[in-house]
Amino acid sequence: MTETTDAPTTGKRRATFNTLEVSELRRLTDDSVEVTFAVPEELADDYDYVPGQYVALRKELDGAEVRRSYSICAVPKRGEIRVAVKKDIGGRFSTWANESLEVGEKIDVMNPQGAFTSRTHVTSLNDAQKVAAEKVAEKKDTHLVAFAAGSGITPIMAIAKAVLAASETSRFDLVYANRSAMDVMFAEEIGDLKDKYPARFTVHHVLSREQRVSPLLSGRIDEDKLTTLLDRVIDVEGTDEWFLCGPFELVQLTRETLAARGVSEDDVRFELFTTGRPENPQGHSGRVVEVDPKGDNVTIEFNLDGLTAKVESPKSAHETVLNAALRVRSDVPFACAGGVCGTCRAKVVDGAYEMDENYALEKDEVEKGYVLTCQTRPTSDSITLDFDA
């Protein structure tokens, strides 16, 4: 099955699903697995990506559609996409992927999306070789630092490999938090990077449930430990870009600490597992909402793939644009529905609104009127949006 649309000429690529076959499974830890999808030649251009981007997976399990987003864990290689899936307690898809998924299984895979990339990657969205060339031309002694926890290492692996290979003087520091040594994903690959780039790649493993020689690397990363790391281990002033990937608490603590030290928010990229705030969970299809017969409704009009659709939403329901739009267009793009991934991004052309959470859009995008439709609720009688903008 393939859902095809015309890609826009802007820097953002239209989110589309294609059915891909699992070609390889590799166990990373007892509760995580690397999944490789084979990409046929006719779709290869659509699945080029920049290190740090993600794909959304869609699968029907037990009669219900499930969507999950996973970062790509390898440097670009034509004809394949690799993601790592860590089993979460109670996680329907992650448990199935770790316990039941087999080679040959077919899964709907969205083409790569996301902005968890170096600034120089943006202009070369689908050209990995050009990305590397631009990196070298711009600044040969680039120094990047990443803080990751658990499966947050997934996009970091792709970014680190690409940056270190881009020039002979680039440097990469990684602070990687896990419960124990047995929980370290990509342990072998991290070791290979240390062997290949001994003077340019440094990793600091912080284990919360194992005692290490250095107290600094034992226990959870709290405010005191983070302060010490930045004071004694990481060259804050000499760092060009920061990459943070993990749970909300760690990412937010690190962002706030870096901001207090004068690090520009433009130099910090972050990606979350979840917001850690599941007070308003959303389903994977528009929930049933009846239009107010008295006419006290909001008119939501949107453009998607060049076609205009309209839906009425009762003001009393206070529902999101995404939830309403899914009732009339099942192909409205989304993945996490939690304000994290940015797949449901659209531009408000007319009307007033409020956006609850935003962990995916850049500041300049918000200023231009872009919103996450899964977090946006109209506050005017009508609102018009453009998913193609």
Side-chain angles (χ1 to χ4, degrees):
M1 182 192 71
T2 302
E3 296 177 6
T4 58
T5 60
D6 292 331
T9 57
T10 60
K12 295 286 183 178
R13 178 162 49 183
R14 168 58 50 222
T16 60
F17 278 101
N18 295 283
T19 302
L20 303 182
E21 184 173 309
V22 175
S23 60
E24 183 182 349
L25 294 171
R26 182 170 70 101
R27 180 61 56 184
L28 298 175
T29 65
D30 289 343
D31 61 357
S32 64
V33 62
E34 182 184 70
V35 183
T36 301
F37 294 96
V39 180
E41 180 58 32
E42 63 268 21
L43 294 175
D45 290 341
D46 294 331
Y47 283 83
D48 283 343
Y49 61 91
V50 169
Q53 291 191 297
Y54 69 90
V55 293
L57 308 183
R58 183 176 66 185
K59 184 68 175 178
E60 185 171 303
L61 298 176
D62 300 325
E65 180 187 292
V66 179
R67 298 192 188 196
R68 296 292 185 269
S69 297
Y70 293 100
S71 296
I72 304 171
C73 59
V75 294
K77 181 179 179 181
R78 190 173 182 84
E80 70 174 36
I81 291 287
R82 292 176 181 262
V83 300
V85 181
K86 184 174 182 179
K87 183 166 63 175
D88 296 323
I89 297 177
R92 184 188 303 177
F93 186 91
S94 64
T95 298
W96 173 78
N98 274 269
E99 297 180 356
S100 304
L101 180 60
E102 297 180 350
V103 171
E105 184 81 41
K106 294 184 177 180
I107 299 176
D108 296 339
V109 182
M110 183 180 287
N111 55 356
Q113 305 288 323
F116 188 64
T117 62
S118 176
R119 286 187 300 264
T120 56
H121 295 170
V122 174
T123 57
S124 307
L125 187 61
N126 305 317
D127 191 337
Q129 292 183 344
K130 187 176 180 182
V131 167
E134 287 181 352
K135 174 62 70 176
V136 174
E138 183 192 7
K139 194 176 190 298
K140 292 185 177 181
D141 59 347
T142 298
H143 180 207
L144 276 65
V145 173
F147 279 78
S151 58
I153 191 62
T154 306
I156 301 301
M157 289 304 301
I159 295 170
K161 289 178 181 179
V163 168
L164 291 169
S167 80
E168 296 181 355
T169 55
S170 58
R171 293 177 295 140
F172 201 103
D173 285 0
L174 169 63
V175 179
Y176 186 21
N178 283 282
R179 291 172 297 180
S180 69
M182 296 297 293
D183 297 308
V184 176
M185 298 172 64
F186 299 104
E188 184 177 342
E189 286 85 346
I190 292 173
D192 289 343
L193 284 178
K194 289 180 63 177
D195 293 340
K196 188 174 183 179
Y197 308 107
R200 299 195 288 120
F201 177 72
T202 304
V203 58
H204 308 281
H205 289 287
V206 182
L207 304 179
S208 62
R209 297 184 183 178
E210 284 187 14
Q211 191 64 38
R212 307 206 65 201
V213 174
S214 171
L216 180 61
L217 303 180
S218 303
R220 297 176 64 86
I221 299 179
D222 55 16
E223 185 175 356
D224 290 340
K225 197 181 298 295
L226 178 59
T227 297
T228 303
L229 284 167
L230 296 177
D231 284 342
R232 302 179 183 178
V233 179
I234 305 297
D235 178 11
V236 176
E237 293 184 358
T239 299
D240 296 293
E241 284 190 289
W242 302 78
F243 293 86
L244 319 176
C245 190
F248 177 84
E249 294 79 6
L250 176 61
V251 170
Q252 196 67 2
L253 171 63
T254 308
R255 291 179 65 202
E256 292 172 353
T257 303
L258 291 175
R261 288 172 175 252
V263 176
S264 171
E265 64 179 19
D266 292 336
D267 294 332
V268 180
R269 292 284 184 271
F270 69 94
E271 189 165 83
L272 304 173
F273 296 159
T274 64
T275 64
R277 300 176 178 179
E279 296 91 343
N280 298 301
Q282 294 290 333
H284 285 163
S285 61
R287 60 187 172 91
V288 177
V289 174
E290 295 184 2
V291 175
D292 189 338
K294 297 180 180 180
D296 195 13
N297 303 300
V298 175
T299 301
I300 300 174
E301 185 172 331
F302 59 93
N303 179 56
L304 175 62
D305 299 334
L307 300 175
T308 300
K310 184 182 295 186
V311 61
E312 297 292 318
S313 174
K315 291 183 179 179
S316 59
H318 197 55
E319 66 176 334
T320 65
V321 169
L322 175 63
N323 193 85
L326 283 169
R327 288 203 299 279
V328 293
R329 288 283 298 271
S330 62
D331 59 337
V332 173
F334 79 95
C336 73
V340 175
C341 72
T343 306
C344 66
R345 170 185 182 270
K347 185 175 184 179
V348 176
V349 178
D350 185 55
Y353 59 90
E354 57 185 14
M355 184 164 57
D356 295 337
E357 304 280 9
N358 171 33
Y359 301 102
L361 298 178
E362 300 291 337
K363 184 178 180 180
D364 64 326
E365 290 180 296
V366 176
E367 292 174 348
K368 293 176 182 177
Y370 287 95
V371 298
L372 301 176
T373 56
C374 72
Q375 298 293 308
T376 300
R377 293 174 169 81
T379 57
S380 54
D381 291 337
S382 63
I383 189 171
T384 304
L385 306 95
D386 188 358
F387 283 92
D388 296 342

